[in-house]
Amino acid sequence: MSLIEVRNLKKYFKVPTGINHAVDDVSFTIEKGETLGVVGESGCGKSTLGRTIIHLQEPTDGKVFLDGEDITRVKGKDLSRIRDKMQIVFQDPYSSLNPRIRIESTIQEPLKHSGRFHGKAEIREEAERLMELVGIDERLRQSYPHELDGGRRQRVGIARALALNPDFIVCDEPVSALDVSIQAQVLNLLMDLQEQMGMAYMFVTHDLSVVRHISNHICVMYLGQLVEKAPTEELFSNTLHPYTKALLSAIPSTDIFHPMDRVKLKGEITSPIDPEPGCRFAARCPYAAESCRQPQELQEVEKGHFVSCCRVNEIN
């Protein structure tokens, strides 16, 4: 049984000009202890997907299962219970922390509300263990968020997410706001913690180099829909969807002897507001044909490799 199962999930927003299809009919599973990478351009709906799964936003339609339990419409005490098992690490480590609360108190906050600990001494001891686990120096524990750099602030966010020993964490672009050298430290920390504690991650990012380093499987999103889904190495070695090929070609390379041919996309981006049936990438796709006007579905073209493209066998 998968830890997380998402079935035909949809999240729509009503806007003055119509209905924004931010997440549209998305399905996948995440196994215990594994990482699913979700990649795509800014605005494709990947962050909304993560927030909808953990109930920071309520889904419009579809189902979400946690360890076999349907958690799509839970409320009240049941919602509090499942939120202990599902946490999030936000993209901006500064705006996600209360600037008026010291670091140690920030990490103690979920411990106090959980009801699992008795007395201030137990809470303080557990907070100290969490701060040591993520590498926050003792001299910094009475600091305020503005006194820390981005990497240390993100460690605070990770410690807070770990406070209730969750089974699943949404990592919403947790390293995109950090310097490259700090990115590697935070990524390695996340991987070490996963190995120690057995959590599953949904790692949201627009950086394919990062997602290759940390993920077991990758989903590629375009305007609210999944266009390709495969194990990580399979996706990189056998890329099938034209959009995924364009994304991969944009990765900077240091190999001056074998430069990768850059795929330059042309055409207007389809609006996610009340989109027409058919492939949403067709307006920018060099292989688009009349058949692309029909609704597209994820199909398993090779074992474990799913693609949403009616011409996938013709163009590969």
Side-chain angles (χ1 to χ4, degrees):
M1 182 186 298
S2 300
L3 177 66
I4 297 290
E5 182 179 357
V6 175
R7 293 184 194 167
N8 309 111
L9 190 66
K10 298 179 181 179
K11 178 59 182 176
Y12 298 164
F13 296 96
K14 191 173 183 179
V15 296
T17 53
I19 304 296
N20 184 348
H21 292 223
V23 176
D24 205 355
D25 203 22
V26 169
S27 300
F28 58 79
T29 59
I30 305 176
E31 304 300 322
K32 295 178 181 179
E34 291 197 345
T35 300
L36 174 74
V38 180
V39 298
E41 296 171 79
S42 295
C44 71
K46 52 191 187 296
S47 293
T48 302
L49 173 62
R51 289 164 183 255
T52 303
I53 291 172
I54 66 170
H55 282 275
L56 288 183
Q57 295 171 331
E58 293 303 311
T60 303
D61 198 5
K63 297 281 187 181
V64 179
F65 295 86
L66 173 66
D67 218 3
E69 177 187 357
D70 186 350
I71 62 169
T72 313
R73 303 293 175 190
V74 293
K75 295 185 182 298
K77 291 183 179 179
D78 286 335
L79 180 57
S80 297
R81 174 177 56 83
I82 66 152
R83 276 188 170 155
D84 288 355
K85 301 179 180 180
M86 302 194 300
Q87 293 291 317
I88 185 169
V89 177
F90 292 98
Q91 176 178 358
D92 185 350
Y94 187 64
S95 64
S96 64
L97 301 176
N98 190 327
R100 298 182 179 182
I101 299 180
R102 297 179 190 272
I103 299 308
E104 187 173 43
S105 299
T106 295
I107 296 170
Q108 287 179 1
E109 198 71 20
L111 302 175
K112 292 176 183 176
H113 288 287
S114 70
R116 299 180 187 179
F117 301 91
H118 305 286
K120 293 181 179 179
E122 276 191 31
I123 292 173
R124 190 180 303 112
E125 185 180 335
E126 178 64 12
E128 287 175 358
R129 185 188 71 82
L130 288 166
M131 289 186 283
E132 186 176 342
L133 186 66
V134 300
I136 300 172
D137 295 338
E138 190 171 350
R139 63 185 174 85
L140 300 173
R141 294 175 185 178
Q142 293 302 315
S143 304
Y144 288 96
H146 73 271
E147 297 177 297
L148 306 181
D149 60 28
R152 289 190 176 96
R153 283 198 290 261
Q154 196 59 286
R155 288 173 187 269
V156 175
I158 293 169
R160 184 178 58 181
L162 293 175
L164 301 179
N165 196 26
D167 298 323
F168 173 63
I169 296 179
V170 173
C171 301
D172 185 9
E173 302 203 40
V175 297
S176 64
L178 307 179
D179 292 339
V180 174
S181 58
I182 307 300
Q183 283 185 10
Q185 293 177 20
V186 173
L187 283 175
N188 289 332
L189 172 63
L190 287 169
M191 294 171 72
D192 290 343
L193 291 170
Q194 185 179 47
E195 189 174 340
Q196 292 174 39
M197 304 173 71
M199 301 164 295
Y201 292 148
M202 175 178 155
F203 196 93
V204 174
T205 183
H206 61 269
D207 190 332
L208 279 157
S209 301
V210 168
V211 83
R212 184 176 191 174
H213 181 63
I214 197 171
S215 302
N216 301 98
H217 295 80
I218 294 176
C219 290
V220 180
M221 281 191 79
Y222 186 78
L223 290 182
Q225 296 182 325
L226 298 189
V227 296
E228 191 160 4
K229 181 172 65 173
T232 300
E233 290 309 316
E234 166 68 13
L235 186 87
F236 277 83
S237 62
N238 185 28
T239 312
L240 298 178
H241 197 280
Y243 176 64
T244 312
K245 291 179 180 180
L247 282 182
L248 291 180
S249 75
I251 299 175
S253 173
T254 56
D255 188 349
I256 61 174
F257 300 105
H258 303 90
M260 189 168 185
D261 292 333
R262 178 72 185 271
V263 178
K264 296 181 180 179
L265 298 177
K266 300 178 182 179
E268 291 292 325
I269 298 175
T270 302
S271 173
I273 300 172
D274 298 322
E276 296 289 332
C279 178
R280 295 179 188 177
F281 183 62
R284 305 169 73 192
C285 180
Y287 307 104
E290 189 63 30
S291 58
C292 300
R293 294 179 179 272
Q294 302 303 316
Q296 309 290 307
E297 293 184 2
L298 274 178
Q299 297 180 344
E300 189 172 18
V301 295
E302 296 181 15
K303 187 177 180 181
H305 196 150
F306 296 81
V307 182
S308 177
C309 178
C310 61
R311 301 197 64 205
V312 63
N313 293 322
E314 300 173 46
I315 63 180
N316 289 289

